[in-house]
Amino acid sequence: MGQSYKVWVTRRIPEAGIEMLREAAEVEVWEDELPPPRDLILDKIGELDGILALLTDRMDAAVMDRAKKLKVIANYAVGFDNVDVPAATERGILVTNTPGVLTETTADLAFTLLMATARHIVPSDRYTREGRWKTWGPMLFLGQDIHHAALGLIGLGRIGAEVAKRARGFDMRVRYFDPIRNEEAERRLGIEYADLDTILKESDFVSLHTPLTPETRHLIGARELALMKPTAILINTSRGPVVDQKALYEALKNRTLYAAGLDVFDVEPVPKDEPLLSLDNVVAVPHIASASFATRTRMATLAAENLLAGLRGTQPPTPVNPEVLSAPQRRR
Ligand code: GLV
Ligand code: GLV
């Protein structure tokens, strides 16, 4: 293989993926802790055959219009709301993502947030460290039961289904809403289908597992939060804008909602003065749902496989817009 392909990896990712790319291409890695500035992406895109991009890189039509030979955008994430896919498809640019490999790790974190919020793990840890623990307290840090509670899943994709499996071990009653009802999954997972409002009204925990699309933006707003029980807990490991964050703050502050466990936010990183961060009934973590050593390595090798297939014109494992592969002539 010639070293003629030029590939840019927009942050340091696990080495296994970078090594795979180096076998077939000239690879440059952006080594900063922070994402490459937009201007640099705009400047650089013209010389690239492939880009391994992160969810922090906005890959829109303006970027693609500066591309001269770009064949593939390999996104290092399952979500691809940072990429304008129709614009890529129009230009014959393949877009790929990393589904499957991060499903269980993400479900693990959704469950971690569920348990941490229900049982006040973060504030009680702080309390212990700060020397405020005086005696065993019959009323100290009472929380919500997880076992036998009602869990509502909004979105039953791969990740939602894995959360359902975890819930079974806690004897939870699991219901889900998804625009596509899946009766096979209902039988396999022992879960029930319900409409969104019923799930919101009757669940003790609601966990979000939708992609961010125009249809799911602010899917959970003031009206939806008002339907939830005052003892209910909202978990979001999907994308911040699926929830109206201002409305969420109001509900949590006024205790019409018990707590929220959040991995994702409207604006990331969350500004220090974000009102949500002032609430003790919020557990906030920095978008780490897929952050295990093994999973990030699998994401790196999958993204690399996708990128290499995009360069070579072979079938990538997980394309987002496979239609560009069969287009009569790819423009690039
Ligand atoms: C992370 O949020 C991802 O979409 O993989
Ligand atoms: C993403 O992997 C999903 O389908 O939930």
Side-chain angles (χ1 to χ4, degrees), residues 107-130:
D108 284 350
L109 189 90
F111 224 85
T112 303
L113 288 173
L114 184 158
M115 298 183 78
T117 46
R119 298 301 300 272
H120 305 299
I121 295 304
V122 175
S124 65
D125 171 89
R126 202 178 305 128
Y127 177 90
T128 308
R129 287 166 197 264
E130 288 173 356

PDB file of all heavy atoms in Angstrom, residues 107-130:
ATOM      1  N   ALA A 107     -24.537   1.426  28.585  1.00  0.00           N
ATOM      2  CA  ALA A 107     -25.627   0.956  29.461  1.00  0.00           C
ATOM      3  C   ALA A 107     -25.143   0.867  30.903  1.00  0.00           C
ATOM      4  O   ALA A 107     -25.880   1.204  31.842  1.00  0.00           O
ATOM      5  CB  ALA A 107     -26.145  -0.390  28.980  1.00  0.00           C
ATOM      6  N   ASP A 108     -23.913   0.425  31.090  1.00  0.00           N
ATOM      7  CA  ASP A 108     -23.342   0.373  32.449  1.00  0.00           C
ATOM      8  C   ASP A 108     -23.368   1.766  33.089  1.00  0.00           C
ATOM      9  O   ASP A 108     -23.715   1.912  34.257  1.00  0.00           O
ATOM     10  CB  ASP A 108     -21.875  -0.092  32.417  1.00  0.00           C
ATOM     11  CG  ASP A 108     -21.710  -1.590  32.178  1.00  0.00           C
ATOM     12  OD1 ASP A 108     -22.712  -2.323  32.211  1.00  0.00           O
ATOM     13  OD2 ASP A 108     -20.553  -2.011  31.961  1.00  0.00           O
ATOM     14  N   LEU A 109     -22.995   2.780  32.315  1.00  0.00           N
ATOM     15  CA  LEU A 109     -22.961   4.125  32.909  1.00  0.00           C
ATOM     16  C   LEU A 109     -24.366   4.653  33.186  1.00  0.00           C
ATOM     17  O   LEU A 109     -24.595   5.307  34.204  1.00  0.00           O
ATOM     18  CB  LEU A 109     -22.194   5.139  32.057  1.00  0.00           C
ATOM     19  CG  LEU A 109     -22.035   6.421  32.887  1.00  0.00           C
ATOM     20  CD1 LEU A 109     -20.761   6.407  33.712  1.00  0.00           C
ATOM     21  CD2 LEU A 109     -22.163   7.681  32.096  1.00  0.00           C
ATOM     22  N   ALA A 110     -25.309   4.352  32.304  1.00  0.00           N
ATOM     23  CA  ALA A 110     -26.694   4.770  32.568  1.00  0.00           C
ATOM     24  C   ALA A 110     -27.144   4.165  33.904  1.00  0.00           C
ATOM     25  O   ALA A 110     -27.757   4.843  34.738  1.00  0.00           O
ATOM     26  CB  ALA A 110     -27.613   4.332  31.429  1.00  0.00           C
ATOM     27  N   PHE A 111     -26.801   2.908  34.115  1.00  0.00           N
ATOM     28  CA  PHE A 111     -27.201   2.260  35.370  1.00  0.00           C
ATOM     29  C   PHE A 111     -26.424   2.815  36.562  1.00  0.00           C
ATOM     30  O   PHE A 111     -26.948   2.941  37.661  1.00  0.00           O
ATOM     31  CB  PHE A 111     -27.047   0.736  35.262  1.00  0.00           C
ATOM     32  CG  PHE A 111     -28.244   0.047  35.842  1.00  0.00           C
ATOM     33  CD1 PHE A 111     -29.384  -0.159  35.086  1.00  0.00           C
ATOM     34  CD2 PHE A 111     -28.259  -0.327  37.184  1.00  0.00           C
ATOM     35  CE1 PHE A 111     -30.519  -0.734  35.644  1.00  0.00           C
ATOM     36  CE2 PHE A 111     -29.385  -0.905  37.750  1.00  0.00           C
ATOM     37  CZ  PHE A 111     -30.515  -1.106  36.983  1.00  0.00           C
ATOM     38  N   THR A 112     -25.179   3.145  36.340  1.00  0.00           N
ATOM     39  CA  THR A 112     -24.374   3.774  37.395  1.00  0.00           C
ATOM     40  C   THR A 112     -25.016   5.086  37.844  1.00  0.00           C
ATOM     41  O   THR A 112     -25.147   5.348  39.048  1.00  0.00           O
ATOM     42  CB  THR A 112     -22.954   4.067  36.867  1.00  0.00           C
ATOM     43  OG1 THR A 112     -22.378   2.851  36.396  1.00  0.00           O
ATOM     44  CG2 THR A 112     -22.075   4.679  37.939  1.00  0.00           C
ATOM     45  N   LEU A 113     -25.431   5.903  36.887  1.00  0.00           N
ATOM     46  CA  LEU A 113     -26.065   7.186  37.215  1.00  0.00           C
ATOM     47  C   LEU A 113     -27.394   6.963  37.929  1.00  0.00           C
ATOM     48  O   LEU A 113     -27.743   7.682  38.866  1.00  0.00           O
ATOM     49  CB  LEU A 113     -26.273   8.014  35.945  1.00  0.00           C
ATOM     50  CG  LEU A 113     -25.009   8.608  35.308  1.00  0.00           C
ATOM     51  CD1 LEU A 113     -25.346   9.270  33.965  1.00  0.00           C
ATOM     52  CD2 LEU A 113     -24.351   9.621  36.245  1.00  0.00           C
ATOM     53  N   LEU A 114     -28.112   5.941  37.475  1.00  0.00           N
ATOM     54  CA  LEU A 114     -29.403   5.611  38.093  1.00  0.00           C
ATOM     55  C   LEU A 114     -29.193   5.272  39.573  1.00  0.00           C
ATOM     56  O   LEU A 114     -29.872   5.792  40.468  1.00  0.00           O
ATOM     57  CB  LEU A 114     -30.021   4.450  37.308  1.00  0.00           C
ATOM     58  CG  LEU A 114     -31.409   3.931  37.646  1.00  0.00           C
ATOM     59  CD1 LEU A 114     -31.997   3.199  36.432  1.00  0.00           C
ATOM     60  CD2 LEU A 114     -31.382   2.976  38.827  1.00  0.00           C
ATOM     61  N   MET A 115     -28.221   4.447  39.838  1.00  0.00           N
ATOM     62  CA  MET A 115     -27.981   4.018  41.220  1.00  0.00           C
ATOM     63  C   MET A 115     -27.394   5.154  42.055  1.00  0.00           C
ATOM     64  O   MET A 115     -27.767   5.336  43.220  1.00  0.00           O
ATOM     65  CB  MET A 115     -27.067   2.799  41.224  1.00  0.00           C
ATOM     66  CG  MET A 115     -27.702   1.616  40.515  1.00  0.00           C
ATOM     67  SD  MET A 115     -26.698   0.118  40.566  1.00  0.00           S
ATOM     68  CE  MET A 115     -27.016  -0.427  42.218  1.00  0.00           C
ATOM     69  N   ALA A 116     -26.496   5.913  41.447  1.00  0.00           N
ATOM     70  CA  ALA A 116     -25.843   7.001  42.192  1.00  0.00           C
ATOM     71  C   ALA A 116     -26.855   8.075  42.606  1.00  0.00           C
ATOM     72  O   ALA A 116     -26.799   8.584  43.727  1.00  0.00           O
ATOM     73  CB  ALA A 116     -24.735   7.626  41.348  1.00  0.00           C
ATOM     74  N   THR A 117     -27.775   8.402  41.689  1.00  0.00           N
ATOM     75  CA  THR A 117     -28.769   9.427  42.019  1.00  0.00           C
ATOM     76  C   THR A 117     -29.769   8.896  43.047  1.00  0.00           C
ATOM     77  O   THR A 117     -30.107   9.593  44.009  1.00  0.00           O
ATOM     78  CB  THR A 117     -29.532   9.906  40.756  1.00  0.00           C
ATOM     79  OG1 THR A 117     -29.915   8.760  39.992  1.00  0.00           O
ATOM     80  CG2 THR A 117     -28.694  10.829  39.917  1.00  0.00           C
ATOM     81  N   ALA A 118     -30.216   7.667  42.860  1.00  0.00           N
ATOM     82  CA  ALA A 118     -31.247   7.111  43.754  1.00  0.00           C
ATOM     83  C   ALA A 118     -30.748   7.041  45.190  1.00  0.00           C
ATOM     84  O   ALA A 118     -31.516   7.231  46.136  1.00  0.00           O
ATOM     85  CB  ALA A 118     -31.668   5.725  43.274  1.00  0.00           C
ATOM     86  N   ARG A 119     -29.444   6.787  45.361  1.00  0.00           N
ATOM     87  CA  ARG A 119     -28.913   6.533  46.697  1.00  0.00           C
ATOM     88  C   ARG A 119     -27.944   7.619  47.170  1.00  0.00           C
ATOM     89  O   ARG A 119     -27.206   7.416  48.126  1.00  0.00           O
ATOM     90  CB  ARG A 119     -28.263   5.146  46.734  1.00  0.00           C
ATOM     91  CG  ARG A 119     -29.252   4.009  46.439  1.00  0.00           C
ATOM     92  CD  ARG A 119     -30.429   3.961  47.431  1.00  0.00           C
ATOM     93  NE  ARG A 119     -29.969   3.765  48.784  1.00  0.00           N
ATOM     94  CZ  ARG A 119     -29.763   2.550  49.345  1.00  0.00           C
ATOM     95  NH1 ARG A 119     -30.008   1.464  48.664  1.00  0.00           N
ATOM     96  NH2 ARG A 119     -29.334   2.454  50.578  1.00  0.00           N
ATOM     97  N   HIS A 120     -27.972   8.761  46.525  1.00  0.00           N
ATOM     98  CA  HIS A 120     -27.210   9.944  46.978  1.00  0.00           C
ATOM     99  C   HIS A 120     -25.716   9.651  47.157  1.00  0.00           C
ATOM    100  O   HIS A 120     -25.096  10.100  48.119  1.00  0.00           O
ATOM    101  CB  HIS A 120     -27.773  10.464  48.310  1.00  0.00           C
ATOM    102  CG  HIS A 120     -29.238  10.754  48.268  1.00  0.00           C
ATOM    103  ND1 HIS A 120     -29.782  11.686  47.428  1.00  0.00           N
ATOM    104  CD2 HIS A 120     -30.292  10.210  48.940  1.00  0.00           C
ATOM    105  CE1 HIS A 120     -31.088  11.730  47.589  1.00  0.00           C
ATOM    106  NE2 HIS A 120     -31.429  10.833  48.494  1.00  0.00           N
ATOM    107  N   ILE A 121     -25.159   8.888  46.243  1.00  0.00           N
ATOM    108  CA  ILE A 121     -23.766   8.458  46.403  1.00  0.00           C
ATOM    109  C   ILE A 121     -22.795   9.644  46.422  1.00  0.00           C
ATOM    110  O   ILE A 121     -21.878   9.690  47.242  1.00  0.00           O
ATOM    111  CB  ILE A 121     -23.375   7.464  45.280  1.00  0.00           C
ATOM    112  CG1 ILE A 121     -24.200   6.180  45.398  1.00  0.00           C
ATOM    113  CG2 ILE A 121     -21.879   7.144  45.308  1.00  0.00           C
ATOM    114  CD1 ILE A 121     -24.115   5.480  46.734  1.00  0.00           C
ATOM    115  N   VAL A 122     -23.019  10.603  45.541  1.00  0.00           N
ATOM    116  CA  VAL A 122     -22.053  11.701  45.453  1.00  0.00           C
ATOM    117  C   VAL A 122     -22.119  12.614  46.685  1.00  0.00           C
ATOM    118  O   VAL A 122     -21.097  12.840  47.344  1.00  0.00           O
ATOM    119  CB  VAL A 122     -22.214  12.474  44.120  1.00  0.00           C
ATOM    120  CG1 VAL A 122     -21.298  13.681  44.078  1.00  0.00           C
ATOM    121  CG2 VAL A 122     -21.936  11.535  42.945  1.00  0.00           C
ATOM    122  N   PRO A 123     -23.305  13.120  47.071  1.00  0.00           N
ATOM    123  CA  PRO A 123     -23.338  13.965  48.280  1.00  0.00           C
ATOM    124  C   PRO A 123     -22.953  13.205  49.553  1.00  0.00           C
ATOM    125  O   PRO A 123     -22.356  13.790  50.462  1.00  0.00           O
ATOM    126  CB  PRO A 123     -24.787  14.465  48.362  1.00  0.00           C
ATOM    127  CG  PRO A 123     -25.513  13.909  47.203  1.00  0.00           C
ATOM    128  CD  PRO A 123     -24.586  13.136  46.346  1.00  0.00           C
ATOM    129  N   SER A 124     -23.250  11.918  49.634  1.00  0.00           N
ATOM    130  CA  SER A 124     -22.917  11.207  50.870  1.00  0.00           C
ATOM    131  C   SER A 124     -21.420  10.902  50.961  1.00  0.00           C
ATOM    132  O   SER A 124     -20.849  10.849  52.042  1.00  0.00           O
ATOM    133  CB  SER A 124     -23.775   9.948  51.046  1.00  0.00           C
ATOM    134  OG  SER A 124     -23.502   9.008  50.053  1.00  0.00           O
ATOM    135  N   ASP A 125     -20.790  10.747  49.819  1.00  0.00           N
ATOM    136  CA  ASP A 125     -19.326  10.609  49.805  1.00  0.00           C
ATOM    137  C   ASP A 125     -18.687  11.905  50.318  1.00  0.00           C
ATOM    138  O   ASP A 125     -17.791  11.888  51.165  1.00  0.00           O
ATOM    139  CB  ASP A 125     -18.855  10.300  48.379  1.00  0.00           C
ATOM    140  CG  ASP A 125     -17.336  10.348  48.251  1.00  0.00           C
ATOM    141  OD1 ASP A 125     -16.684   9.315  48.464  1.00  0.00           O
ATOM    142  OD2 ASP A 125     -16.799  11.439  47.955  1.00  0.00           O
ATOM    143  N   ARG A 126     -19.188  13.014  49.818  1.00  0.00           N
ATOM    144  CA  ARG A 126     -18.658  14.314  50.235  1.00  0.00           C
ATOM    145  C   ARG A 126     -18.842  14.499  51.752  1.00  0.00           C
ATOM    146  O   ARG A 126     -17.941  14.922  52.464  1.00  0.00           O
ATOM    147  CB  ARG A 126     -19.383  15.430  49.456  1.00  0.00           C
ATOM    148  CG  ARG A 126     -18.628  16.733  49.389  1.00  0.00           C
ATOM    149  CD  ARG A 126     -19.376  17.786  48.566  1.00  0.00           C
ATOM    150  NE  ARG A 126     -19.708  17.333  47.220  1.00  0.00           N
ATOM    151  CZ  ARG A 126     -20.930  17.376  46.677  1.00  0.00           C
ATOM    152  NH1 ARG A 126     -21.953  17.851  47.358  1.00  0.00           N
ATOM    153  NH2 ARG A 126     -21.142  16.948  45.454  1.00  0.00           N
ATOM    154  N   TYR A 127     -20.017  14.147  52.221  1.00  0.00           N
ATOM    155  CA  TYR A 127     -20.370  14.252  53.643  1.00  0.00           C
ATOM    156  C   TYR A 127     -19.392  13.448  54.512  1.00  0.00           C
ATOM    157  O   TYR A 127     -18.910  13.913  55.543  1.00  0.00           O
ATOM    158  CB  TYR A 127     -21.793  13.719  53.763  1.00  0.00           C
ATOM    159  CG  TYR A 127     -22.404  13.638  55.130  1.00  0.00           C
ATOM    160  CD1 TYR A 127     -23.128  14.713  55.640  1.00  0.00           C
ATOM    161  CD2 TYR A 127     -22.313  12.467  55.887  1.00  0.00           C
ATOM    162  CE1 TYR A 127     -23.751  14.615  56.875  1.00  0.00           C
ATOM    163  CE2 TYR A 127     -22.925  12.361  57.118  1.00  0.00           C
ATOM    164  CZ  TYR A 127     -23.643  13.439  57.615  1.00  0.00           C
ATOM    165  OH  TYR A 127     -24.256  13.337  58.829  1.00  0.00           O
ATOM    166  N   THR A 128     -19.079  12.250  54.043  1.00  0.00           N
ATOM    167  CA  THR A 128     -18.153  11.387  54.792  1.00  0.00           C
ATOM    168  C   THR A 128     -16.758  11.994  54.835  1.00  0.00           C
ATOM    169  O   THR A 128     -16.123  12.087  55.880  1.00  0.00           O
ATOM    170  CB  THR A 128     -18.101   9.996  54.134  1.00  0.00           C
ATOM    171  OG1 THR A 128     -19.439   9.520  53.980  1.00  0.00           O
ATOM    172  CG2 THR A 128     -17.303   9.007  54.967  1.00  0.00           C
ATOM    173  N   ARG A 129     -16.294  12.414  53.671  1.00  0.00           N
ATOM    174  CA  ARG A 129     -14.948  13.001  53.591  1.00  0.00           C
ATOM    175  C   ARG A 129     -14.820  14.273  54.412  1.00  0.00           C
ATOM    176  O   ARG A 129     -13.742  14.580  54.904  1.00  0.00           O
ATOM    177  CB  ARG A 129     -14.621  13.407  52.154  1.00  0.00           C
ATOM    178  CG  ARG A 129     -14.352  12.299  51.232  1.00  0.00           C
ATOM    179  CD  ARG A 129     -14.401  12.872  49.830  1.00  0.00           C
ATOM    180  NE  ARG A 129     -14.549  11.795  48.885  1.00  0.00           N
ATOM    181  CZ  ARG A 129     -13.517  11.239  48.252  1.00  0.00           C
ATOM    182  NH1 ARG A 129     -12.310  11.690  48.449  1.00  0.00           N
ATOM    183  NH2 ARG A 129     -13.720  10.246  47.429  1.00  0.00           N
ATOM    184  N   GLU A 130     -15.911  15.050  54.450  1.00  0.00           N
ATOM    185  CA  GLU A 130     -15.841  16.358  55.112  1.00  0.00           C
ATOM    186  C   GLU A 130     -15.968  16.245  56.623  1.00  0.00           C
ATOM    187  O   GLU A 130     -16.038  17.257  57.321  1.00  0.00           O
ATOM    188  CB  GLU A 130     -16.922  17.295  54.533  1.00  0.00           C
ATOM    189  CG  GLU A 130     -16.587  17.740  53.115  1.00  0.00           C
ATOM    190  CD  GLU A 130     -17.703  18.536  52.441  1.00  0.00           C
ATOM    191  OE1 GLU A 130     -18.788  18.688  53.049  1.00  0.00           O
ATOM    192  OE2 GLU A 130     -17.478  18.992  51.297  1.00  0.00           O
TER     193      GLU A 130
END
